[in-house]
Amino acid sequence: MKHLFICTLFLSITASLLGQDLEYAKDIISKLSSPDFKGRGYVEEGNQIAAKYIKDQFTQIGLKPFKKDYYQSFKIDVNVFPDKVLLSFDKEELVAGKDFIIDASSPSLKGEFSTYTVSKQDLMIDANVRKAIEQTAGKFLIIDERKFKSDDKESVKKLNELINFLKYSPQVPSAGTIVLTSEKLTWDISSEQGGKVSFTVCKDIDIKTISKIKVEVNASLIKSKTQNIVGFIEGTTQPDSFLVAVAHYDHLGKMGKEVYFPGANDNASGVAMLLTLAKYFKAYPPKYSVAFIALTAEEIGIVGAKEFVENPLFDLKKTKFLVNFDLAGTGDDGIKVVNGSIYKKQFDLLTDLNSKNSYLKSVQIRGAACNSDHCMFYQKGVPCFYIYTLGGIQAYHDIYDKYETLPLTKFVDYAKLMIDFYKSF
Ligand SMILES: [Zn+2]
Protein backbone atom coordinates (compact mmCIF):
# COMPACT_ATOMS: atom_id res chain seq x y z
CA MET A 1 0.00 0.00 0.00
CA LYS A 2 2.78 2.34 0.98
CA HIS A 3 4.71 1.43 -2.12
CA LEU A 4 1.74 2.01 -4.30
CA PHE A 5 1.27 5.45 -2.78
CA ILE A 6 4.92 6.46 -3.40
CA CYS A 7 4.71 5.14 -6.90
CA THR A 8 1.55 7.10 -7.68
CA LEU A 9 3.00 10.24 -6.16
CA PHE A 10 6.16 9.85 -8.22
CA LEU A 11 4.18 9.32 -11.39
CA SER A 12 2.04 12.38 -10.85
CA ILE A 13 5.12 14.57 -10.21
CA THR A 14 6.75 13.30 -13.41
CA ALA A 15 3.53 13.77 -15.35
CA SER A 16 3.13 17.35 -14.20
CA LEU A 17 6.79 18.16 -14.88
CA LEU A 18 6.38 16.88 -18.41
CA GLY A 19 3.15 18.81 -18.76
CA GLN A 20 5.09 21.94 -17.86
CA ASP A 21 7.80 21.04 -20.35
CA LEU A 22 5.29 20.83 -23.16
CA GLU A 23 3.74 24.15 -22.15
CA TYR A 24 7.22 25.70 -22.05
CA ALA A 25 8.10 24.30 -25.49
CA LYS A 26 4.78 25.52 -26.93
CA ASP A 27 5.41 28.96 -25.52
CA ILE A 28 8.89 29.11 -27.08
CA ILE A 29 7.70 27.92 -30.50
CA SER A 30 4.62 30.14 -30.63
CA LYS A 31 6.70 33.21 -29.72
CA LEU A 32 9.64 32.54 -32.07
CA SER A 33 7.29 31.89 -35.00
CA SER A 34 4.98 34.85 -34.30
CA PRO A 35 4.92 37.96 -36.54
CA ASP A 36 6.86 39.88 -33.84
CA PHE A 37 9.96 37.85 -34.71
CA LYS A 38 9.69 38.64 -38.48
CA GLY A 39 10.66 35.13 -39.54
CA ARG A 40 14.01 35.46 -37.71
CA GLY A 41 15.74 36.79 -40.80
CA TYR A 42 17.66 39.95 -41.60
CA VAL A 43 14.93 42.51 -42.15
CA GLU A 44 13.34 44.56 -39.38
CA GLU A 45 15.84 43.07 -36.89
CA GLY A 46 14.08 39.68 -36.81
CA ASN A 47 17.29 37.75 -36.22
CA GLN A 48 18.35 40.16 -33.43
CA ILE A 49 14.94 40.02 -31.71
CA ALA A 50 15.09 36.21 -31.71
CA ALA A 51 18.68 36.20 -30.40
CA LYS A 52 17.77 38.49 -27.53
CA TYR A 53 14.78 36.30 -26.64
CA ILE A 54 16.93 33.15 -26.56
CA LYS A 55 19.63 34.95 -24.57
CA ASP A 56 16.99 35.85 -21.98
CA GLN A 57 15.93 32.19 -21.80
CA PHE A 58 19.57 31.15 -21.23
CA THR A 59 19.79 33.70 -18.39
CA GLN A 60 16.52 32.57 -16.80
CA ILE A 61 17.55 28.92 -16.95
CA GLY A 62 20.89 29.82 -15.41
CA LEU A 63 23.32 28.66 -18.10
CA LYS A 64 26.90 29.90 -17.79
CA PRO A 65 28.42 31.94 -20.62
CA PHE A 66 31.90 31.00 -21.90
CA LYS A 67 32.86 34.64 -22.35
CA LYS A 68 31.42 37.80 -20.86
CA ASP A 69 28.04 37.06 -22.41
CA TYR A 70 26.37 34.37 -24.49
CA TYR A 71 26.89 36.00 -27.89
CA GLN A 72 29.43 35.01 -30.49
CA SER A 73 28.93 37.86 -32.97
CA PHE A 74 30.00 38.19 -36.60
CA LYS A 75 28.76 39.60 -39.92
CA ILE A 76 27.20 38.02 -42.97
CA ASP A 77 26.25 39.10 -46.49
CA VAL A 78 22.59 38.59 -47.26
CA ASN A 79 20.20 39.57 -50.05
CA VAL A 80 16.97 40.87 -48.50
CA PHE A 81 13.55 42.03 -49.69
CA PRO A 82 12.60 44.65 -47.12
CA ASP A 83 10.02 46.51 -49.17
CA LYS A 84 7.89 45.77 -52.23
CA VAL A 85 7.67 42.33 -53.85
CA LEU A 86 4.79 42.62 -56.30
CA LEU A 87 3.81 40.56 -59.33
CA SER A 88 0.65 41.06 -61.43
CA PHE A 89 -0.59 39.11 -64.44
CA ASP A 90 -2.54 41.65 -66.51
CA LYS A 91 -4.77 43.27 -63.91
CA GLU A 92 -4.60 40.44 -61.36
CA GLU A 93 -2.19 40.94 -58.48
CA LEU A 94 -0.74 37.62 -57.29
CA VAL A 95 -0.41 36.89 -53.58
CA ALA A 96 3.20 36.77 -52.37
CA GLY A 97 4.07 33.58 -50.51
CA LYS A 98 0.83 31.87 -51.55
CA ASP A 99 0.83 32.27 -55.37
CA PHE A 100 4.48 33.07 -55.91
CA ILE A 101 7.94 33.40 -54.43
CA ILE A 102 10.86 35.43 -55.68
CA ASP A 103 14.23 33.77 -56.21
CA ALA A 104 16.44 34.51 -53.21
CA SER A 105 19.23 36.08 -55.27
CA SER A 106 17.01 38.42 -57.32
CA PRO A 107 17.94 42.10 -57.72
CA SER A 108 15.51 45.05 -57.78
CA LEU A 109 13.28 45.64 -60.80
CA LYS A 110 10.25 47.75 -61.65
CA GLY A 111 8.22 47.84 -64.82
CA GLU A 112 5.61 46.41 -67.15
CA PHE A 113 6.70 43.64 -69.49
CA SER A 114 5.30 41.57 -72.29
CA THR A 115 5.97 37.86 -72.16
CA TYR A 116 7.21 34.92 -74.18
CA THR A 117 6.03 31.48 -73.03
CA VAL A 118 7.57 28.06 -73.58
CA SER A 119 6.71 24.75 -71.96
CA LYS A 120 9.42 22.73 -70.28
CA GLN A 121 8.71 20.02 -72.83
CA ASP A 122 9.41 22.52 -75.66
CA LEU A 123 12.87 23.17 -74.25
CA MET A 124 13.91 19.60 -75.05
CA ILE A 125 14.26 20.69 -78.69
CA ASP A 126 17.29 22.91 -79.48
CA ALA A 127 15.48 24.99 -82.11
CA ASN A 128 12.86 25.96 -79.51
CA VAL A 129 15.58 27.05 -77.08
CA ARG A 130 17.22 29.23 -79.75
CA LYS A 131 13.86 30.76 -80.64
CA ALA A 132 13.05 31.45 -76.98
CA ILE A 133 16.37 33.25 -76.49
CA GLU A 134 15.76 35.36 -79.66
CA GLN A 135 12.15 36.17 -78.89
CA THR A 136 12.52 37.05 -75.24
CA ALA A 137 14.67 40.21 -75.53
CA GLY A 138 13.36 42.79 -73.05
CA LYS A 139 10.45 40.50 -72.16
CA PHE A 140 9.74 38.09 -69.34
CA LEU A 141 10.41 34.50 -70.28
CA ILE A 142 7.70 32.24 -68.89
CA ILE A 143 8.61 28.57 -68.55
CA ASP A 144 5.51 26.44 -67.96
CA GLU A 145 6.48 23.17 -66.33
CA ARG A 146 3.05 22.25 -64.99
CA LYS A 147 2.40 19.46 -67.48
CA PHE A 148 5.97 18.23 -67.71
CA LYS A 149 6.60 14.55 -67.01
CA SER A 150 9.73 12.48 -67.51
CA ASP A 151 11.29 9.45 -65.86
CA ASP A 152 14.62 10.01 -67.58
CA LYS A 153 16.70 11.42 -64.72
CA GLU A 154 19.65 12.37 -66.92
CA SER A 155 17.59 14.46 -69.35
CA VAL A 156 15.66 16.10 -66.49
CA LYS A 157 18.97 17.11 -64.94
CA LYS A 158 20.16 18.60 -68.25
CA LEU A 159 16.86 20.41 -68.69
CA ASN A 160 17.08 21.95 -65.22
CA GLU A 161 20.60 23.14 -65.97
CA LEU A 162 19.31 24.71 -69.16
CA ILE A 163 16.51 26.45 -67.22
CA ASN A 164 19.10 27.87 -64.80
CA PHE A 165 21.07 29.17 -67.78
CA LEU A 166 17.93 30.83 -69.19
CA LYS A 167 17.13 32.37 -65.81
CA TYR A 168 20.52 33.74 -64.85
CA SER A 169 22.84 34.02 -67.84
CA PRO A 170 23.62 37.55 -69.07
CA GLN A 171 23.74 36.02 -72.58
CA VAL A 172 19.97 35.63 -72.46
CA PRO A 173 18.44 39.04 -73.30
CA SER A 174 15.25 38.59 -71.21
CA ALA A 175 14.22 41.05 -68.48
CA GLY A 176 13.51 38.18 -66.10
CA THR A 177 11.94 34.75 -65.79
CA ILE A 178 8.80 33.17 -64.36
CA VAL A 179 8.63 29.43 -63.81
CA LEU A 180 5.05 28.16 -63.62
CA THR A 181 4.95 25.08 -61.43
CA SER A 182 2.35 22.76 -59.94
CA GLU A 183 4.63 21.89 -57.04
CA LYS A 184 4.64 23.39 -53.57
CA LEU A 185 6.53 26.69 -53.29
CA THR A 186 9.74 26.39 -51.26
CA TRP A 187 11.62 29.58 -50.44
CA ASP A 188 15.31 30.07 -49.73
CA ILE A 189 17.78 32.78 -48.70
CA SER A 190 20.94 33.89 -50.46
CA SER A 191 24.20 35.60 -49.55
CA GLU A 192 24.51 36.89 -53.13
CA GLN A 193 22.59 39.09 -55.52
CA GLY A 194 22.43 38.01 -59.15
CA GLY A 195 21.84 40.06 -62.28
CA LYS A 196 18.29 38.95 -63.00
CA VAL A 197 14.89 38.70 -61.36
CA SER A 198 13.13 35.39 -61.34
CA PHE A 199 9.85 34.18 -59.83
CA THR A 200 8.27 30.80 -59.24
CA VAL A 201 4.48 30.88 -59.59
CA CYS A 202 2.08 28.18 -58.44
CA LYS A 203 -1.40 29.10 -59.65
CA ASP A 204 -4.08 27.61 -61.83
CA ILE A 205 -4.07 30.07 -64.76
CA ASP A 206 -4.37 29.91 -68.51
CA ILE A 207 -1.08 31.53 -69.46
CA LYS A 208 -2.11 32.06 -73.10
CA THR A 209 -4.56 34.74 -71.98
CA ILE A 210 -1.87 36.80 -70.21
CA SER A 211 -0.45 39.64 -72.31
CA LYS A 212 1.37 41.83 -69.80
CA ILE A 213 2.95 41.38 -66.42
CA LYS A 214 3.82 44.03 -63.87
CA VAL A 215 6.78 43.67 -61.53
CA GLU A 216 7.97 45.70 -58.57
CA VAL A 217 10.81 44.28 -56.49
CA ASN A 218 13.02 46.02 -53.95
CA ALA A 219 16.06 43.93 -53.12
CA SER A 220 19.16 44.90 -51.26
CA LEU A 221 22.43 43.12 -50.59
CA ILE A 222 23.40 44.02 -47.04
CA LYS A 223 26.00 43.20 -44.42
CA SER A 224 24.11 42.09 -41.34
CA LYS A 225 25.28 41.58 -37.79
CA THR A 226 24.33 38.19 -36.41
CA GLN A 227 25.38 35.86 -33.60
CA ASN A 228 25.46 32.36 -32.17
CA ILE A 229 24.20 32.10 -28.60
CA VAL A 230 26.30 29.77 -26.46
CA GLY A 231 25.95 28.65 -22.83
CA PHE A 232 26.74 25.62 -20.69
CA ILE A 233 26.11 23.69 -17.50
CA GLU A 234 29.18 22.60 -15.59
CA GLY A 235 29.66 18.84 -15.24
CA THR A 236 29.81 17.41 -11.71
CA THR A 237 33.01 15.33 -12.00
CA GLN A 238 34.50 15.83 -15.50
CA PRO A 239 33.67 19.42 -16.43
CA ASP A 240 36.37 19.64 -19.13
CA SER A 241 34.51 17.16 -21.34
CA PHE A 242 31.35 18.19 -23.14
CA LEU A 243 28.06 16.81 -24.29
CA VAL A 244 26.61 19.24 -26.83
CA ALA A 245 23.16 20.19 -28.13
CA VAL A 246 22.86 22.54 -31.12
CA ALA A 247 19.83 24.00 -32.92
CA HIS A 248 19.65 26.85 -35.41
CA TYR A 249 17.27 29.68 -34.52
CA ASP A 250 17.45 31.70 -37.76
CA HIS A 251 14.91 31.32 -40.56
CA LEU A 252 14.10 32.96 -43.90
CA GLY A 253 12.73 36.26 -42.63
CA LYS A 254 10.38 38.34 -44.76
CA MET A 255 9.58 38.51 -48.45
CA GLY A 256 8.38 42.07 -48.84
CA LYS A 257 6.62 44.13 -46.20
CA GLU A 258 3.62 41.86 -45.67
CA VAL A 259 4.82 38.28 -45.88
CA TYR A 260 6.92 36.53 -43.26
CA PHE A 261 8.04 32.91 -43.00
CA PRO A 262 7.23 31.64 -39.47
CA GLY A 263 9.63 28.66 -39.36
CA ALA A 264 7.81 26.92 -36.51
CA ASN A 265 9.09 23.45 -37.31
CA ASP A 266 12.23 24.85 -38.96
CA ASN A 267 13.56 25.54 -36.44
CA ALA A 268 11.72 27.12 -33.52
CA SER A 269 10.95 23.49 -32.57
CA GLY A 270 14.66 22.58 -32.35
CA VAL A 271 15.33 25.64 -30.18
CA ALA A 272 12.47 24.54 -27.90
CA MET A 273 14.13 21.11 -27.62
CA LEU A 274 17.48 22.73 -26.83
CA LEU A 275 15.94 24.86 -24.07
CA THR A 276 13.91 21.94 -22.67
CA LEU A 277 17.12 19.91 -22.35
CA ALA A 278 18.94 22.90 -20.82
CA LYS A 279 16.24 23.23 -18.15
CA TYR A 280 16.42 19.54 -17.33
CA PHE A 281 20.21 19.36 -17.10
CA LYS A 282 20.38 22.55 -15.04
CA ALA A 283 18.24 20.73 -12.45
CA TYR A 284 20.11 17.41 -12.84
CA PRO A 285 23.68 18.13 -14.00
CA PRO A 286 25.52 15.08 -15.37
CA LYS A 287 29.21 14.27 -14.83
CA TYR A 288 30.27 15.94 -18.11
CA SER A 289 29.54 19.57 -18.89
CA VAL A 290 26.69 20.18 -21.34
CA ALA A 291 27.00 22.97 -23.93
CA PHE A 292 23.94 24.50 -25.60
CA ILE A 293 24.48 26.35 -28.86
CA ALA A 294 21.67 28.23 -30.60
CA LEU A 295 23.23 28.67 -34.03
CA THR A 296 22.49 31.42 -36.53
CA ALA A 297 22.58 31.66 -40.34
CA GLU A 298 21.99 27.97 -41.03
CA GLU A 299 19.55 28.78 -43.83
CA ILE A 300 22.12 30.87 -45.66
CA GLY A 301 24.60 27.97 -45.90
CA ILE A 302 25.41 26.62 -42.36
CA VAL A 303 27.34 29.83 -41.70
CA GLY A 304 26.84 30.06 -37.90
CA ALA A 305 28.09 26.51 -37.33
CA LYS A 306 31.10 27.24 -39.54
CA GLU A 307 31.87 30.34 -37.47
CA PHE A 308 31.67 28.28 -34.27
CA VAL A 309 33.94 25.43 -35.38
CA GLU A 310 36.51 27.94 -36.63
CA ASN A 311 36.38 29.85 -33.34
CA PRO A 312 35.27 27.23 -30.79
CA LEU A 313 34.57 28.34 -27.21
CA PHE A 314 35.68 24.98 -25.79
CA ASP A 315 38.05 22.30 -27.05
CA LEU A 316 36.05 20.46 -29.73
CA LYS A 317 38.27 17.41 -29.20
CA LYS A 318 36.77 17.14 -25.72
CA THR A 319 33.28 16.63 -27.15
CA LYS A 320 31.88 13.26 -26.09
CA PHE A 321 28.91 13.61 -28.42
CA LEU A 322 26.87 16.29 -30.18
CA VAL A 323 23.26 16.24 -31.37
CA ASN A 324 21.85 18.73 -33.85
CA PHE A 325 18.09 19.33 -33.49
CA ASP A 326 16.61 20.71 -36.70
CA LEU A 327 12.87 20.00 -37.34
CA ALA A 328 11.72 18.66 -33.96
CA GLY A 329 8.02 19.44 -34.12
CA THR A 330 6.33 16.36 -35.60
CA GLY A 331 7.49 12.80 -34.80
CA ASP A 332 4.27 10.89 -35.43
CA ASP A 333 6.29 8.52 -37.61
CA GLY A 334 9.37 8.63 -35.36
CA ILE A 335 12.78 10.17 -36.00
CA LYS A 336 15.56 9.90 -38.57
CA VAL A 337 19.17 9.84 -37.39
CA VAL A 338 21.73 11.28 -39.83
CA ASN A 339 25.19 9.75 -39.09
CA GLY A 340 23.42 6.77 -37.48
CA SER A 341 25.40 4.34 -39.58
CA ILE A 342 28.67 6.20 -38.83
CA TYR A 343 28.26 6.16 -35.03
CA LYS A 344 26.57 2.77 -34.88
CA LYS A 345 27.26 2.16 -31.18
CA GLN A 346 25.51 5.40 -30.20
CA PHE A 347 22.73 4.66 -32.67
CA ASP A 348 22.15 1.24 -31.10
CA LEU A 349 22.07 2.90 -27.70
CA LEU A 350 19.40 5.31 -28.94
CA THR A 351 17.23 2.55 -30.42
CA ASP A 352 17.59 0.46 -27.23
CA LEU A 353 16.47 3.35 -25.04
CA ASN A 354 13.56 3.95 -27.39
CA SER A 355 12.31 0.38 -27.51
CA LYS A 356 12.74 -0.16 -23.73
CA ASN A 357 10.57 2.86 -23.01
CA SER A 358 8.31 2.83 -26.10
CA TYR A 359 8.81 6.53 -26.68
CA LEU A 360 8.61 6.87 -30.47
CA LYS A 361 7.19 4.78 -33.29
CA SER A 362 10.58 4.35 -34.97
CA VAL A 363 14.22 5.41 -34.81
CA GLN A 364 15.47 5.25 -38.39
CA ILE A 365 19.06 5.10 -39.53
CA ARG A 366 20.68 7.30 -42.20
CA GLY A 367 24.26 7.79 -43.34
CA ALA A 368 26.27 11.02 -43.48
CA ALA A 369 24.58 14.05 -45.09
CA CYS A 370 25.79 17.64 -45.14
CA ASN A 371 22.27 19.04 -44.81
CA SER A 372 22.36 20.97 -41.53
CA ASP A 373 24.61 22.40 -38.77
CA HIS A 374 26.10 19.10 -37.52
CA CYS A 375 28.00 18.85 -40.83
CA MET A 376 30.57 21.51 -39.83
CA PHE A 377 31.25 19.71 -36.54
CA TYR A 378 31.41 16.32 -38.24
CA GLN A 379 34.00 17.64 -40.70
CA LYS A 380 36.13 18.65 -37.68
CA GLY A 381 35.92 15.11 -36.32
CA VAL A 382 33.28 15.77 -33.65
CA PRO A 383 31.13 12.65 -33.13
CA CYS A 384 27.55 13.71 -33.82
CA PHE A 385 24.02 12.98 -34.97
CA TYR A 386 21.56 15.17 -36.77
CA ILE A 387 18.07 14.09 -35.74
CA TYR A 388 14.82 15.23 -37.41
CA THR A 389 11.25 14.17 -36.74
CA LEU A 390 9.11 12.30 -39.28
CA GLY A 391 5.40 12.42 -40.16
CA GLY A 392 2.83 15.12 -39.52
CA ILE A 393 2.67 18.26 -41.62
CA GLN A 394 4.60 18.74 -44.85
CA ALA A 395 5.08 22.51 -44.55
CA TYR A 396 8.71 23.42 -45.19
CA HIS A 397 10.33 26.74 -46.09
CA ASP A 398 6.88 28.18 -46.80
CA ILE A 399 4.33 30.45 -45.15
CA TYR A 400 2.48 27.40 -43.79
CA ASP A 401 5.23 26.28 -41.36
CA LYS A 402 3.16 27.72 -38.51
CA TYR A 403 2.85 27.05 -34.78
CA GLU A 404 -0.93 26.54 -35.09
CA THR A 405 -0.56 23.46 -37.29
CA LEU A 406 2.59 21.95 -35.75
CA PRO A 407 1.56 18.66 -34.10
CA LEU A 408 4.10 18.47 -31.21
CA THR A 409 2.30 15.27 -30.19
CA LYS A 410 5.57 13.40 -29.65
CA PHE A 411 7.63 16.30 -28.34
CA VAL A 412 7.73 15.17 -24.71
CA ASP A 413 8.53 11.55 -25.58
CA TYR A 414 11.25 12.78 -27.93
CA ALA A 415 12.68 14.98 -25.15
CA LYS A 416 12.62 12.04 -22.69
CA LEU A 417 14.48 9.87 -25.20
CA MET A 418 17.15 12.52 -25.67
CA ILE A 419 17.52 13.07 -21.91
CA ASP A 420 18.03 9.29 -21.50
CA PHE A 421 20.53 9.35 -24.35
CA TYR A 422 22.65 12.19 -22.92
CA LYS A 423 22.53 10.55 -19.49
CA SER A 424 24.03 7.34 -20.93
CA PHE A 425 27.43 8.97 -21.49
ZN1 LIG B 1 16.42 24.10 -40.51
Side-chain angles (χ1 to χ4, degrees):
M1 196 62 202
K2 205 177 162 192
H3 261 100
L4 187 70
F5 174 71
I6 289 168
C7 195
T8 323
L9 188 69
F10 178 73
L11 270 178
S12 68
I13 288 169
T14 320
S16 80
L17 270 179
L18 292 169
Q20 281 170 25
D21 282 347
L22 187 58
E23 286 317 304
Y24 178 67
K26 282 183 170 173
D27 191 42
I28 299 291
I29 299 166
S30 65
K31 287 224 171 64
L32 286 174
S33 56
S34 72
D36 293 347
F37 287 73
K38 330 276 183 190
R40 308 187 300 281
Y42 309 92
V43 287
E44 297 170 21
E45 300 285 306
N47 187 267
Q48 295 300 317
I49 296 166
K52 169 143 191 339
Y53 177 76
I54 294 163
K55 185 175 97 173
D56 290 346
Q57 297 301 317
F58 275 28
T59 308
Q60 276 170 36
I61 293 168
L63 299 185
K64 287 187 170 182
F66 283 95
K67 290 191 167 171
K68 66 176 184 347
D69 67 11
Y70 299 115
Y71 280 7
Q72 180 181 46
S73 301
F74 57 100
K75 283 188 172 150
I76 54 163
D77 293 322
V78 57
N79 192 39
V80 292
F81 302 93
D83 204 339
K84 285 189 174 130
V85 179
L86 301 175
L87 176 64
S88 304
F89 281 4
D90 286 328
K91 289 278 168 305
E92 192 190 357
E93 196 174 301
L94 304 195
V95 182
K98 181 174 169 278
D99 296 335
F100 77 91
I101 50 172
I102 182 146
D103 266 28
S105 65
S106 291
S108 299
L109 183 71
K110 186 179 177 179
E112 243 184 47
F113 302 90
S114 51
T115 61
Y116 181 82
T117 303
V118 279
S119 73
K120 191 167 178 176
Q121 205 79 40
D122 287 344
L123 293 173
M124 293 183 96
I125 297 158
D126 285 351
N128 291 337
V129 177
R130 277 196 298 275
K131 193 173 166 211
I133 293 173
E134 273 166 36
Q135 297 287 315
T136 198
K139 298 178 184 172
F140 254 72
L141 176 64
I142 299 182
I143 301 168
D144 190 350
E145 58 176 36
R146 291 176 298 180
K147 289 202 178 100
F148 180 77
K149 272 202 184 82
S150 172
D151 295 326
D152 181 354
K153 275 193 183 149
E154 199 47 42
S155 64
V156 171
K157 195 175 155 231
K158 275 198 183 131
L159 206 48
N160 289 335
E161 281 166 11
L162 171 66
I163 289 173
N164 277 335
F165 171 81
L166 293 171
K167 275 174 157 181
Y168 304 118
S169 172
Q171 294 167 37
V172 180
S174 62
T177 308
I178 290 170
V179 174
L180 276 175
T181 183
S182 47
E183 282 172 22
K184 157 192 144 30
L185 298 173
T186 301
W187 206 36
D188 225 326
I189 184 165
S190 174
S191 59
E192 288 165 9
Q193 190 176 94
K196 281 205 187 165
V197 170
S198 137
F199 297 95
T200 306
V201 173
C202 179
K203 197 172 170 60
D204 189 15
I205 36 167
D206 180 3
I207 198 64
K208 286 189 204 85
T209 65
I210 308 295
S211 62
K212 280 243 182 290
I213 66 154
K214 212 169 134 188
V215 174
E216 188 168 1
V217 175
N218 293 106
S220 107
L221 185 65
I222 59 165
K223 251 202 194 323
S224 180
K225 181 180 171 285
T226 189
Q227 57 284 305
N228 295 321
I229 309 146
V230 197
F232 74 105
I233 290 160
E234 194 143 37
T236 52
T237 58
Q238 286 171 259
D240 292 342
S241 293
F242 282 86
L243 295 165
V244 186
V246 309
H248 77 85
Y249 69 90
D250 65 297
H251 195 56
L252 305 172
K254 294 185 77 172
M255 191 175 81
K257 267 213 172 344
E258 313 299 329
V259 180
Y260 85 106
F261 287 67
N265 197 22
D266 187 10
N267 187 31
S269 67
V271 175
M273 180 60 76
L274 184 95
L275 294 171
T276 300
L277 297 175
K279 271 179 102 176
Y280 179 87
F281 286 115
K282 177 65 187 175
Y284 307 99
K287 65 178 173 188
Y288 300 125
S289 291
V290 196
F292 298 91
I293 315 176
L295 291 162
T296 189
E298 190 269 350
E299 304 290 7
I300 208 158
I302 327 183
V303 176
K306 189 161 183 281
E307 176 71 21
F308 189 87
V309 300
E310 282 169 5
N311 304 284
L313 298 179
F314 56 88
D315 185 358
L316 289 179
K317 287 197 188 72
K318 291 278 179 69
T319 305
K320 292 283 161 190
F321 209 77
L322 176 149
V323 181
N324 170 27
F325 299 96
D326 188 359
L327 310 174
T330 69
D332 301 86
D333 294 334
I335 53 173
K336 185 81 96 180
V337 183
V338 171
N339 277 358
S341 58
I342 312 253
Y343 302 102
K344 191 62 177 27
K345 210 178 82 197
Q346 290 85 344
F347 178 79
D348 291 342
L349 171 66
L350 194 64
T351 49
D352 279 355
L353 291 169
N354 188 57
S355 41
K356 265 192 207 121
N357 299 286
S358 317
Y359 290 135
L360 303 172
K361 193 165 152 188
S362 73
V363 174
Q364 300 177 21
I365 198 161
R366 191 173 162 183
C370 193
N371 53 357
S372 182
D373 293 308
H374 64 287
C375 177
M376 292 296 156
F377 293 89
Y378 178 56
Q379 286 174 357
K380 293 277 179 191
V382 175
C384 58
F385 286 156
Y386 160 31
I387 304 182
Y388 54 93
T389 52
L390 304 167
I393 51 145
Q394 298 305 311
Y396 176 75
H397 281 214
D398 54 39
I399 56 168
Y400 308 107
D401 183 7
K402 295 189 289 191
Y403 166 71
E404 290 75 11
T405 45
L406 195 62
L408 292 168
T409 36
K410 297 291 167 195
F411 189 87
V412 169
D413 284 325
Y414 181 23
K416 282 162 135 181
L417 172 62
M418 295 321 297
I419 287 168
D420 288 357
F421 180 70
Y422 279 106
K423 280 163 82 174
S424 312
F425 285 86

